[in-house]
Amino acid sequence: MIEQYNQQFLIEGHIHFEVGQGGLAKAVIRNSVAQAEVYLQGAHVTSFQPIGSEPVLWLSEDSLFQAGKAIRGGIPVIWPWFGPHPTEETKPQHGFARIMSWSIREARALSQGETLLRLGLSSSTETRAIWPQDFDLTLDITVGVALTVALTAHNQGRESIEVSGALHTYFRVDDVGYIQVEGLESRSYLDKVTGYNRKHQVGPILIDQEVDRIYLETEDECQIVDPLMKRQIHIDKAGSCSTVVWNPWQERAQQMSDFPDDGYKTMVCVETANAAEDVRQIEPGEGHTLMQKISV
Ligand code: TA6
């Protein structure tokens, strides 16, 4: 398979394909301005590093790399529901897009030296067994000085569908106790840690305990201010009115086998979402795009 991918999509100075961890196929993107890796399993960006910068994404050293299992870290593609299935708890948490194998639709060198990789997932007997809808998903990954990830869902059925989801991005920080997340000041949020009751954000977000919040009615850019790494990670977005901020802290980290016990100290998730009341109705023949642009 890797040979076929390279025959069809390799671009010198931009992208090639190789066997990654667990024997899973991955795209390796290296251009004049940045590098990234993307697993076809889940269309999962696992690393992004502009030249001259430290890695931007956090990836668990204990992650599984197995077909059908979510990779821990990077940018999980959460679709067509965020969190547990609304009515059937036996269905996979955070939907099925991140545990399916996606196909390569296109690879292209862009004018500014960036590299575009387009992956796709169409409805199938496998997906219909989980969710009885006809759809086509594409994930457009543009690697340059910034990383842009755009998830577009097309409704190919004859009835309206309701979807939620997220680009569930894990960012690398030097020490989570010293960072702050800006851009969500004065917003309301649902606090999962205390039973999803509604609270109000005062000032920037500091992380000194488990944090699991869905910020509501926000289309704003966020930034992760990391004084120890002397950087700010900027997260711009479109197609989203909710932003999720998550750090499992010590106890939850210990409960996850694919997450190092002290891994919570060097990561924070800031997720561009359609979560809680921000679910999206997609009419037959219509589409919805959820986009996140990450820059340092
Ligand atoms: O986005 C935050 C969250 O919903 C947390 O509640 C936690 O469950 C996290 O996602 C990770 O979920 P996962 O299914 O990837 O272990």
Side-chain angles (χ1 to χ4, degrees), residues 3-270:
E3 295 71 37
Q4 287 166 351
Y5 295 150
N6 282 316
Q7 273 158 16
Q8 200 174 351
F9 298 107
L10 180 144
I11 304 173
E12 284 297 330
H14 280 273
I15 185 169
H16 73 272
F17 298 84
E18 55 183 73
V19 178
Q21 296 192 54
L24 298 178
K26 69 177 179 181
V28 178
I29 295 169
R30 283 203 190 100
N31 56 40
S32 58
V33 291
Q35 64 181 30
E37 293 194 350
V38 185
Y39 278 78
L40 298 192
Q41 150 78 12
H44 202 125
V45 180
T46 52
S47 69
F48 167 60
Q49 185 170 7
I51 290 181
S53 294
E54 291 296 310
V56 177
L57 305 180
W58 180 91
L59 182 67
S60 169
E61 61 206 29
D62 299 337
S63 178
L64 296 176
F65 283 86
Q66 283 171 23
K69 296 286 184 191
I71 295 169
R72 175 70 66 188
I75 308 179
V77 176
I78 307 300
W79 195 86
W81 58 82
F82 180 88
H85 185 276
T87 55
E88 299 174 56
E89 74 236 6
T90 56
K91 301 210 168 174
Q93 149 102 338
H94 282 334
F96 53 76
R98 66 175 178 171
I99 56 175
M100 295 266 174
S101 186
W102 291 50
S103 63
I104 305 169
R105 300 254 174 106
E106 184 181 2
R108 200 174 349 135
L110 303 181
S111 56
Q112 310 297 321
E114 298 167 316
T115 310
L116 168 68
L117 174 64
R118 168 169 286 182
L119 303 178
L121 180 72
S122 297
S123 46
S124 62
T125 44
E126 190 184 8
T127 65
R128 282 190 206 90
I130 304 172
W131 190 58
Q133 305 295 347
D134 293 333
F135 65 87
D136 185 73
L137 272 185
T138 57
L139 191 76
D140 283 350
I141 302 150
T142 306
V143 177
V145 173
L147 171 69
T148 300
V149 182
L151 176 69
T152 298
H154 286 284
N155 178 357
Q156 297 188 325
R158 284 194 292 275
E159 58 192 46
S160 167
I161 58 175
E162 185 173 274
V163 298
S164 56
L167 297 170
H168 191 300
T169 309
Y170 289 70
F171 292 95
R172 177 194 286 229
V173 298
D174 197 67
D175 180 337
V176 75
Y178 288 83
I179 68 161
Q180 55 185 41
V181 179
E182 298 177 347
L184 295 165
E185 294 80 355
S186 308
R187 296 290 173 196
S188 298
Y189 64 90
L190 302 178
D191 182 7
K192 181 174 175 182
V193 175
T194 57
Y196 284 116
N197 54 24
R198 206 178 179 98
K199 295 184 176 178
H200 188 76
Q201 181 62 36
V202 178
I205 301 167
L206 308 176
I207 298 177
D208 56 4
Q209 60 188 319
E210 181 185 358
V211 169
D212 196 344
R213 305 172 184 172
I214 303 175
Y215 286 84
L216 304 168
E217 293 161 41
T218 169
E219 297 179 306
D220 298 326
E221 175 181 351
C222 291
Q223 41 279 338
I224 301 169
V225 179
D226 185 341
L228 298 184
M229 285 186 93
K230 298 186 176 59
R231 73 177 181 185
Q232 288 198 13
I233 300 174
H234 296 273
I235 303 147
D236 213 347
K237 68 173 188 176
S240 158
C241 291
S242 49
T243 297
V244 178
V245 178
W246 178 56
N247 183 288
W249 210 248
Q250 191 167 21
E251 190 182 337
R252 289 260 181 270
Q254 286 166 352
Q255 291 166 354
M256 293 183 279
S257 59
D258 61 353
F259 198 113
D261 289 354
D262 61 358
Y264 70 95
K265 293 177 181 172
T266 55
M267 56 69 70
V268 64
C269 282
V270 178

